[in-house]
Amino acid sequence: MSIEKELYNAAVSLIEKRYPSGFGGAAAMRTETGNILTSVSPDTKNDALSLCMEVGSCLEAHKLNEAITHSICICRENEQSDYLILTPCGICQERLSHWGGDVRVAVSTPENNLLFKNLRDLMPYHWSVVNGEKL
């Protein structure tokens, strides 16, 4: 099984366990050692306190001192809905850029295909260029 499909299945499995009915979303990330880290966004009473689904996996990678190589985020409206692949938001792109432009991220497509791109392809004009760096 491909890394991409393995991550997709890990995210689906977490959604089905954590959210047996109704809306559900989860992220799955692979580290350089092959660990798969999964996470959900925390439930909050105040939307200003909300965090993306990917944050928990990013923090776990930092704790383990392992580089992230791949990332996927998916959601569904309810238990009868299809799973939708979500391109990482700009903030999560910045979080993932810590591990460089070669991080492979799942992206949204009109057909909802499982497609991964290098992070640098999503951020061709990243601000780090002013520091002489290349994402």
Side-chain angles (χ1 to χ4, degrees):
M1 179 183 315
S2 71
I3 292 169
E4 293 84 356
K5 188 65 176 168
E6 187 177 11
L7 287 175
Y8 180 86
N9 289 343
V12 166
S13 178
L14 178 55
I15 291 170
E16 290 177 353
K17 180 179 177 184
R18 175 68 174 80
Y19 307 103
S21 62
F23 176 83
M29 296 185 185
R30 185 176 190 271
T31 69
E32 62 191 344
T33 64
N35 280 329
I36 293 181
L37 311 173
T38 60
S39 55
V40 299
S41 60
D43 296 328
T44 62
K45 294 183 190 286
N46 180 338
D47 285 343
L49 302 174
S50 67
L51 294 170
C52 297
M53 293 175 243
E54 296 98 328
V55 173
S57 294
C58 285
L59 292 173
E60 186 72 10
H62 280 288
K63 182 183 89 176
L64 297 171
N65 197 29
E66 294 186 21
I68 291 173
T69 62
H70 294 75
S71 177
I72 189 170
C73 184
I74 64 172
C75 72
R76 61 146 203 244
E77 287 299 316
N78 60 55
E79 63 277 14
Q80 281 82 40
S81 300
D82 291 335
Y83 289 96
L84 301 175
I85 299 165
L86 306 172
T87 300
C89 74
I91 294 170
C92 285
Q93 289 179 36
E94 283 294 331
R95 289 179 178 125
L96 291 166
S97 73
H98 172 76
W99 294 284
D102 290 328
V103 174
R104 304 280 294 165
V105 297
V107 295
S108 303
T109 67
E111 303 81 20
N112 198 40
N113 294 331
L114 187 58
L115 176 66
F116 280 68
K117 296 282 188 179
N118 284 343
L119 183 59
R120 78 171 44 88
D121 295 336
L122 277 63
M123 306 171 77
Y125 302 101
H126 191 259
W127 59 266
S128 62
V129 72
V130 300
N131 297 326
E133 301 171 18
K134 183 178 178 186
L135 180 63

